[in-house]
Amino acid sequence: MVEPADRPSTAGQRLSAPDSFGVSTLEPGLRPPAQTPGRQVSIRVQMLDDTQEVFQISQRSPGKVLFDLVCVHLNLTEGDYFGLEYQDQRKMTLWLDLLKPTLKQIRRPKNTILRFVVKFFPPDHTQLMEELTRYLFALQIKQDLACGRLICNDTSAALMVSHIIQSEIGDFDETQSWQHLLHNKYLPDQDAIRDKIMDCHRKHVGQTPAVSDYQLLEIARRLEMYGIRLHPAKDREGTKLSLAVAHTGVLVFQGYTKINAFNWSKIRKLSFKRKKFLIKLRADPGNAHHDTLEFAMASRDCCKIFWKICVEYHAFFRLFEEPKPKPKPILFTRGSSFRFSGRTQKQIFDYIKDSELKKVPFERYHTAEASTLTPNILEVWSYLFSFLSLESTAKFCPTAACLHSRLLSEHKCQKSPGSEDSAQGSPRAMVNGNGSVNGEGNHTSGVTAPAQSPELHPVSPLTSPLLMEAGYVRNDEEEEARRKKFPTDKAYFIAKELLTTERTYLKDIQVVTESFLSFAAKEETFPESVQNLFSTNYEPIQKFHQGFLKEVEQRLAQWSGRSNAHIKGDYQRIGDVLLKNIQGLRQLTIHLQKHSECLVELERACRSSRKVETVCRDFEQQKVCYLSFNIFLLRPLHRLLHYKLILERLCKHYPPTHDDFRDSRAALADISEMVLQLQGTMMKMENFQKLLELNKDLMGIDNLAIRGREFIRLGCLSKLSGKGLQQRMFFLFSDSLVYTSRGMTASNQFKVHGQLPLYGMTIRESEEEWGVPHSFTLFGHRQSVVVAASCASEMERWVEDIRMAIDLAEHSSSPGTDLLSTSLSDNKLLDDSAVEQESEEELCGSRSSLERQGHRGNTTVHVCWHRNTSVSMVDFSIAVENQLSGNLLRKFKNSNGWQKLWVVFTNFSLFFYKSHQDNYPLASLPLLGYSVTVPSESENIHKDYVFKLHFKSHVYYFRSESEYTFERWMEVIRSATCSSSHTVSSSRKELY
């Protein structure tokens, strides 16, 4: 209980919080935590507003009780972002362990003051749902500025302090603001920029405290030192460094400059041994670092303190739920039993969403010299919630939630080489994909024609006559002259990316509205109701984007000076165009919500009529349909994500004072709200579409797309049988694991051999038992299977995802459904030795959607088969965001000439066109297994912005027009070439 005393008001009271007991963050409820009987002890806690509160706890109470009392006192719902820290007798700052008794950690409670501070800093403050939480974060930023921990330039510092003052005393008054700055210290060197602070404060007239907090956090989160707590260390050479942990992983600083970053996805294990802190990385042939990195810290205790906060950061941002305690050993203990205690960030999102807490309007009181301001609560919330993270909607299915959580928490930290957040930090750092290239012949590593099997083309179409005529050879003087005519501002190239990707997007929409509907209209058997559903909900989208594209083209022409319009006004901006059109796009939300119905109705029509199925199959063989047709149906929803990412880059580039910043930020708010509204539809459609696509690739399964089933991973493994190791294609779902072999028919489908239900399955590594490298055994109810991966990292990815899927199956309500068709399940499971005796008629005997003749042979499944790799649903989700279009120059193989091509990157592949006006690609290059690097000096390519793609003996050089486009191409291509490194389960696995 809080000791009554006459003291300044608390943060909750100043926010006019209700006088209820509040909500405990660890065990959500409406009452204070129960205390164990025994003598009461007083503990003093200093709040973020520098007031102190005294709490009474039992001698034997764990730290969780004290922490809950603090959160209840503040009426704080999102308390898990915070923690209690204190200094021990050695003057070392420690976090209060919530599971251990408080008095075993604080030996002298009368002489110890605990500090209630922010512990976990999310990448985006819009992930904080409650205004009280944002207010407390703003107080933390205020403290970090005052103590010199949050390093930034004078402009950012002055702007942040001006927002703090606006929140505290209200609108600018020269005398009052001057006196306030004289009596309050916000910065160590505040006097030097006092005039600049007042100039900034002058611009905030009418800004409410809630918006001031928001603006403060918006600026702070962009700073490199935001949320960073440095831990001194040294590398192997004795160089003084500092280690820190963030939501993305472990960071390395030299002074206040970040020099390296190790993403959670790249870290296999964190540990410490005496004074050495160890980071064990996952195997990566292209990584210049050692497998295990060592950092020397001042003492073992320093290592342990940093290790603990790393474990907690990983669990909080990456796990679905609080990790379960390890069972206590009977005789001996090994290692630490420490674990994260509390709700994870996803659990906070789910709790806030499920509880539907009402946002009650309130008055907010400031310091004694301030006037009271009453914010327009509806305006503030509509402004703030439009920026909410996609993760806040991750409640539809565990795997899909994990995919999109990982997509945001991992992929945003994957910048292109040379960017400020790059782990490599240099444009010449090598970025490799999966190191395993076994089992792939030269004929499958080159570019494949869009609708034909990879093995049918031993020669790469990049050297074919079709593409040799696709452009002309530019000389260096002509190219340099052309480049000098155009703007060099990064915002221009961001806007140009919007233009190029919009052209490709509109072409993709026309595949549905023009090509498919006209093709279906020729067939009388195609249901008119489905045609009407498609035209009603896709044609308005196409019409809107045609107008949008014209506006973007006109603005870019004005920006680059190719018309006289730039003389008449300032056209070097794009935010106003985006804001206007995104507001128009919001009116079409009802059509976007209907796209899931279009997908479902089309599949229902295919299943009810073999003729309709034939129409769809025949259309997929058309050149214009260069991807699975269902992917085109998802394009409008995916485009919303692209707009959001483009606007995020634009807002990050612009300073807050830029003329285009306000419109860009408002457009970002609108599109974020749309993404949030449609996120549930998008997640379910992506999983449903992937199941339908796999149904076409598999022979022997009647229907994959049933309610509750989720796709997790597909890829190549070798199965041990009586004839030795045989290559098999494995498909992991949330309820079963299916293994197949390549069918030797024109359909190019994979014949199902068997199914292993995950319910009750166990997994064991068995390399020593069988003498097969990278092997493991799967134990099911009906049979056991021994499989081997191509390398250690591939095995680790499979084992992690299978274990995660087993956990999901164990928590499901039923053991699962038999996937196999009747003919196959009646014969139980086919043994691998019987495969060679199967006839072609038997291989084609099982009917599945869009099967048999003419089936596309260059799908992701076939590429994984030939390149002996695997892809997870995480990779597909990342690929959704990583789509890019534009002109690239391709170097001729035996000359110094460069050929201009229009290139589209999507679905792990590059598609090549003569120009953006072409309706179909001339060739494609699947990138799974490829590596993307910068050419070395020995390759004699003395041009800027050139990147190199290589796989075995296949090498291609491409050249972009600017540093920004070079970094973007490297970034998106790396997402495909490194795609197999992502796992679903690694986002749930702890690092200790």
Side-chain angles (χ1 to χ4, degrees):
M1 302 295 293
V2 183
E3 183 179 280
D6 294 332
R7 58 175 67 88
S9 61
T10 66
Q13 292 169 340
R14 286 192 303 281
L15 285 167
S16 299
D19 294 330
S20 68
F21 284 129
V23 179
S24 168
T25 60
L26 301 183
E27 291 181 359
L30 296 177
R31 297 179 180 177
Q35 301 233 24
T36 56
R39 187 169 64 90
Q40 298 287 299
V41 178
S42 297
I43 302 293
R44 189 172 295 273
V45 177
Q46 181 169 313
M47 302 299 180
L48 280 164
D49 56 0
D50 292 331
T51 62
Q52 292 186 4
E53 305 290 344
V54 178
F55 297 88
Q56 301 290 336
I57 64 170
S58 172
Q59 278 186 319
R60 293 179 291 176
S61 294
K64 172 181 180 295
V65 171
L66 175 60
F67 183 72
D68 275 1
L69 284 172
V70 176
C71 293
V72 168
H73 173 64
L74 293 173
N75 200 48
L76 182 60
T77 303
E78 298 173 294
D80 299 88
Y81 288 101
F82 303 85
L84 293 170
E85 65 177 13
Y86 65 96
Q87 281 192 339
D88 62 5
Q89 63 274 14
R90 300 162 298 174
K91 301 299 180 182
M92 299 184 70
T93 302
L94 305 171
W95 290 103
L96 184 70
D97 192 325
L98 301 184
L99 299 179
K100 292 183 179 179
T102 301
L103 295 188
K104 284 192 176 182
Q105 304 176 67
I106 305 173
R107 300 297 183 181
R108 303 171 65 186
K110 291 184 179 180
N111 301 323
T112 303
I113 299 178
L114 285 84
R115 298 175 64 243
F116 180 78
V117 295
V118 176
K119 187 174 185 179
F120 302 110
F121 289 81
D124 190 348
H125 59 286
T126 59
Q127 295 174 349
L128 306 174
M129 307 293 188
E130 298 291 330
E131 186 175 334
L132 171 58
T133 312
R134 288 190 293 274
Y135 171 57
L136 295 175
F137 265 74
L139 292 178
Q140 181 68 65
I141 297 302
K142 176 183 173 182
Q143 285 188 6
D144 290 351
L145 282 171
C147 69
R149 179 183 283 167
L150 184 57
I151 305 298
C152 60
N153 58 40
D154 289 349
T155 301
S156 297
L159 192 56
M160 285 191 287
V161 172
S162 71
H163 285 299
I164 295 173
I165 297 175
Q166 175 71 22
S167 176
E168 290 181 350
I169 69 173
D171 289 346
F172 176 79
D173 178 271
E174 188 164 359
T175 303
Q176 184 185 26
S177 299
W178 182 266
Q179 290 294 325
H180 188 78
L181 284 171
L182 284 177
H183 292 93
N184 295 274
K185 198 74 170 177
Y186 296 103
L187 296 169
D189 54 348
Q190 179 174 298
D191 293 341
I193 60 171
R194 187 182 302 162
D195 292 338
K196 186 177 290 188
I197 294 173
M198 294 186 66
D199 289 340
C200 293
H201 185 200
R202 198 187 311 269
K203 301 175 183 178
H204 303 329
V205 175
Q207 185 169 285
T208 64
V211 173
S212 295
D213 289 344
Y214 180 90
Q215 297 291 353
L216 172 65
L217 297 177
E218 176 68 22
I219 299 167
R221 76 180 182 93
R222 300 173 185 273
L223 301 176
E224 191 166 63
M225 295 300 294
Y226 166 70
I228 296 299
R229 304 295 183 256
L230 298 177
H231 298 253
K234 295 181 181 179
D235 62 11
R236 291 183 177 181
E237 287 73 33
T239 304
K240 290 185 178 180
L241 303 170
S242 295
L243 299 179
V245 64
H247 70 283
T248 57
V250 179
L251 313 178
V252 183
F253 285 80
Q254 192 163 29
Y256 295 110
T257 303
K258 182 170 65 175
I259 62 174
N260 217 332
F262 300 101
N263 200 346
W264 294 125
S265 63
K266 304 298 182 184
I267 298 175
R268 183 178 180 185
K269 185 177 182 181
L270 295 176
S271 62
F272 63 94
K273 186 175 183 181
R274 299 184 180 91
K275 295 183 180 181
K276 293 182 179 179
F277 184 79
L278 307 175
I279 303 177
K280 189 172 184 180
L281 301 177
R282 301 185 187 277
D284 186 354
N287 198 333
H289 302 291
H290 300 283
D291 289 341
T292 302
L293 303 177
E294 291 185 4
F295 297 91
M297 305 188 84
S299 65
R300 180 185 181 277
D301 289 336
C302 292
C303 284
K304 188 173 184 179
I305 290 171
F306 183 60
W307 174 79
K308 282 186 174 181
I309 189 61
C310 287
V311 169
E312 292 183 308
Y313 250 84
H314 175 266
F316 182 78
F317 286 107
R318 308 277 285 187
L319 301 188
F320 280 178
E321 57 188 18
E322 177 184 355
K324 298 178 181 178
K326 298 178 180 179
K328 294 184 177 180
I330 299 176
L331 296 177
F332 304 104
T333 61
R334 182 180 179 183
S336 174
S337 61
F338 175 77
R339 65 182 177 90
F340 168 74
S341 176
R343 292 182 300 182
T344 64
Q345 189 183 42
K346 182 184 181 301
Q347 287 179 304
I348 298 175
F349 291 156
D350 292 343
Y351 173 70
I352 296 292
K353 180 170 291 294
D354 295 341
S355 57
E356 297 182 355
L357 300 177
K358 294 183 178 180
K359 311 299 187 293
V360 182
F362 54 81
E363 289 188 347
R364 180 172 177 161
Y365 300 95
H366 304 303
T367 57
E369 59 191 68
S371 60
T372 300
L373 296 178
T374 305
N376 184 333
I377 199 69
L378 296 177
E379 177 184 348
V380 172
W381 276 107
S382 63
Y383 176 71
L384 296 178
F385 269 107
S386 61
F387 287 91
L388 284 181
S389 165
L390 303 184
E391 293 175 283
S392 61
T393 63
K395 60 178 288 185
F396 297 94
C397 55
T399 306
C402 178
L403 304 180
H404 284 266
S405 175
R406 187 182 180 89
L407 183 65
L408 292 177
S409 64
E410 173 177 306
H411 182 61
K412 283 184 178 178
C413 69
Q414 291 183 336
K415 305 294 183 185
S416 59
S419 65
E420 61 183 6
D421 295 326
S422 173
Q424 290 82 6
S426 168
R428 291 193 173 273
M430 178 176 289
V431 185
N432 284 330
N434 179 16
S436 170
V437 292
N438 297 328
E440 168 64 19
N442 290 343
H443 59 276
T444 59
S445 58
V447 182
T448 61
Q452 296 174 347
S453 178
E455 65 269 22
L456 299 180
H457 294 271
V459 179
S460 168
L462 274 181
T463 59
S464 69
L466 275 177
L467 280 184
M468 295 297 286
E469 298 171 357
Y472 64 95
V473 180
R474 293 183 179 271
N475 58 48
D476 296 338
E477 291 77 15
E478 180 184 0
E479 177 64 16
E480 290 302 319
R482 186 192 65 83
R483 286 171 54 186
K484 289 179 180 179
K485 293 180 182 179
F486 294 96
T488 57
D489 181 23
K490 182 178 179 180
Y492 170 78
F493 291 105
I494 295 175
K496 192 169 183 179
E497 179 183 340
L498 172 66
L499 170 64
T500 57
T501 53
E502 188 71 14
R503 284 172 173 169
T504 299
Y505 166 66
L506 189 56
K507 285 287 185 183
D508 288 348
I509 291 297
Q510 289 170 347
V511 171
V512 179
T513 58
E514 297 178 6
S515 303
F516 177 74
L517 288 181
S518 61
F519 189 89
K522 298 175 183 178
E523 303 293 333
E524 297 179 354
T525 57
F526 199 89
E528 186 176 351
S529 60
V530 177
Q531 296 183 52
N532 293 336
L533 184 65
F534 273 59
S535 59
T536 302
N537 293 292
Y538 280 92
E539 288 179 353
I541 302 292
Q542 177 196 353
K543 183 178 180 181
F544 169 83
H545 285 282
Q546 285 174 335
F548 180 36
L549 178 59
K550 289 180 181 179
E551 288 192 46
V552 175
E553 287 176 334
Q554 182 181 10
R555 177 57 56 88
L556 265 292
Q558 295 165 344
W559 196 335
S560 61
R562 285 173 290 182
S563 71
N564 294 326
H566 67 285
I567 302 174
K568 302 176 183 178
D570 181 13
Y571 292 101
Q572 295 185 348
R573 53 190 299 175
I574 196 66
D576 57 332
V577 176
L578 279 165
L579 177 60
K580 170 192 170 185
N581 283 277
I582 288 175
Q583 289 175 345
L585 186 59
R586 295 182 67 174
Q587 308 303 316
L588 301 176
T589 302
I590 187 172
H591 296 297
L592 295 172
Q593 291 172 333
K594 286 283 189 178
H595 288 180
S596 59
E597 182 180 344
C598 294
L599 181 61
V600 171
E601 289 301 317
L602 178 63
E603 179 61 18
R604 182 174 291 141
C606 289
R607 293 195 174 278
S608 60
S609 170
R610 189 60 180 264
K611 293 182 178 179
V612 175
E613 182 185 25
T614 302
V615 172
C616 295
R617 181 185 66 234
D618 292 343
F619 178 76
E620 285 201 326
Q621 304 309 311
Q622 305 301 305
K623 290 181 179 180
V624 71
C625 190
Y626 63 98
L627 298 170
S628 173
F629 177 65
N630 288 340
I631 293 179
F632 292 100
L633 300 182
L634 294 174
R635 283 293 197 243
L637 292 177
H638 291 164
R639 188 59 178 161
L640 301 181
L641 292 177
H642 303 158
Y643 292 148
K644 184 173 183 289
L645 293 171
I646 287 173
L647 281 163
E648 285 176 348
R649 284 194 290 274
L650 206 58
C651 290
K652 186 175 182 179
H653 167 67
Y654 285 140
T657 56
H658 194 280
D659 292 337
D660 203 26
F661 179 78
R662 183 180 297 273
D663 286 340
S664 299
R665 186 182 59 184
L668 177 59
D670 287 341
I671 197 64
S672 298
E673 186 176 2
M674 285 190 67
V675 170
L676 182 63
Q677 181 181 358
L678 296 168
Q679 179 65 14
T681 300
M682 190 185 311
M683 292 164 65
K684 289 185 285 188
M685 282 184 70
E686 285 177 353
N687 184 67
F688 184 57
Q689 181 272 329
K690 183 52 59 181
L691 293 176
L692 294 179
E693 184 178 342
L694 293 179
N695 219 113
K696 303 172 190 176
D697 287 315
L698 298 181
M699 180 186 302
I701 292 181
D702 286 329
N703 183 19
L704 273 179
I706 64 171
R707 184 180 298 275
R709 177 171 295 139
E710 301 163 41
F711 164 69
I712 298 177
R713 178 175 287 275
L714 64 86
C716 248
L717 292 171
S718 296
K719 181 177 177 295
L720 186 63
S721 67
K723 293 190 176 183
L725 290 173
Q726 295 180 319
Q727 184 180 2
R728 294 288 175 260
M729 197 71 184
F730 280 71
F731 299 83
L732 177 62
F733 303 98
S734 57
D735 56 354
S736 62
L737 179 67
V738 176
Y739 56 97
T740 68
S741 68
R742 178 73 179 274
M744 303 301 295
T745 68
S747 68
N748 287 318
Q749 290 178 284
F750 288 82
K751 175 67 176 180
V752 174
H753 289 194
Q755 169 200 1
L756 297 174
L758 296 181
Y759 189 86
M761 178 186 287
T762 58
I763 184 172
R764 184 181 71 201
E765 298 183 11
S766 53
E767 183 172 338
E768 295 182 359
E769 179 181 356
W770 295 100
V772 178
H774 320 310
S775 63
F776 53 97
T777 305
L778 303 168
F779 298 91
H781 288 304
R782 292 183 285 183
Q783 68 172 140
S784 298
V785 175
V786 180
V787 294
S790 57
C791 60
S793 59
E794 188 74 0
M795 168 187 164
E796 186 173 344
R797 289 188 279 270
W798 273 106
V799 171
E800 288 181 358
D801 281 353
I802 291 174
R803 283 176 174 163
M804 183 275 294
I806 291 173
D807 290 341
L808 290 178
E810 293 290 343
H811 289 88
S812 65
S813 57
S814 63
T817 306
D818 195 336
L819 294 178
L820 304 185
S821 60
T822 306
S823 60
L824 187 55
S825 58
D826 287 348
N827 295 323
K828 299 182 179 179
L829 297 173
L830 294 179
D831 187 78
D832 286 314
S833 60
V835 175
E836 287 73 21
Q837 282 74 39
E838 293 174 14
S839 66
E840 183 172 322
E841 289 74 20
E842 290 171 327
L843 288 172
C844 296
S846 178
R847 177 181 179 271
S848 61
S849 179
L850 303 183
E851 64 179 9
R852 294 197 178 92
Q853 297 179 358
H855 180 69
R856 196 179 294 276
N858 66 336
T859 65
T860 305
V861 178
H862 292 81
V863 175
C864 287
W865 171 266
H866 288 289
R867 297 186 182 169
N868 201 18
T869 187
S870 67
V871 177
S872 70
M873 190 61 186
V874 173
D875 304 321
F876 286 106
S877 296
I878 291 175
V880 165
E881 290 190 354
N882 285 280
Q883 298 182 24
L884 195 60
S885 307
N887 288 312
L888 287 176
L889 299 177
R890 196 248 326 176
K891 185 181 181 300
F892 287 122
K893 190 171 185 180
N894 298 316
S895 73
N896 293 325
W898 295 80
Q899 175 192 25
K900 184 179 178 181
L901 295 171
W902 177 262
V903 184
V904 174
F905 175 80
T906 185
N907 206 42
F908 309 114
S909 298
L910 292 175
F911 295 89
F912 301 95
Y913 302 74
K914 289 183 180 181
S915 74
H916 69 84
Q917 297 174 334
D918 291 354
N919 292 325
Y920 56 86
L922 300 174
S924 66
L925 176 63
L927 293 183
L928 289 175
Y930 267 75
S931 295
V932 56
T933 64
V934 176
S936 62
E937 292 293 332
S938 61
E939 294 173 273
N940 295 320
I941 299 181
H942 305 295
K943 299 292 182 184
D944 294 331
Y945 317 131
V946 176
F947 59 89
K948 170 186 174 183
L949 292 173
H950 54 101
F951 176 78
K952 291 191 174 182
S953 61
H954 296 265
V955 179
Y956 304 104
Y957 300 96
F958 294 96
R959 183 178 170 193
S960 55
E961 65 177 347
S962 68
E963 181 180 4
Y964 172 80
T965 53
F966 167 80
E967 291 175 352
R968 285 291 294 137
W969 279 107
M970 289 286 285
E971 181 182 2
V972 299
I973 292 175
R974 181 176 58 177
S975 72
T977 58
C978 298
S979 63
S980 58
S981 64
H982 305 131
T983 65
V984 175
S985 57
S986 60
S987 64
R988 299 164 54 89
K989 183 180 178 182
E990 293 191 24
L991 298 179
Y992 54 92

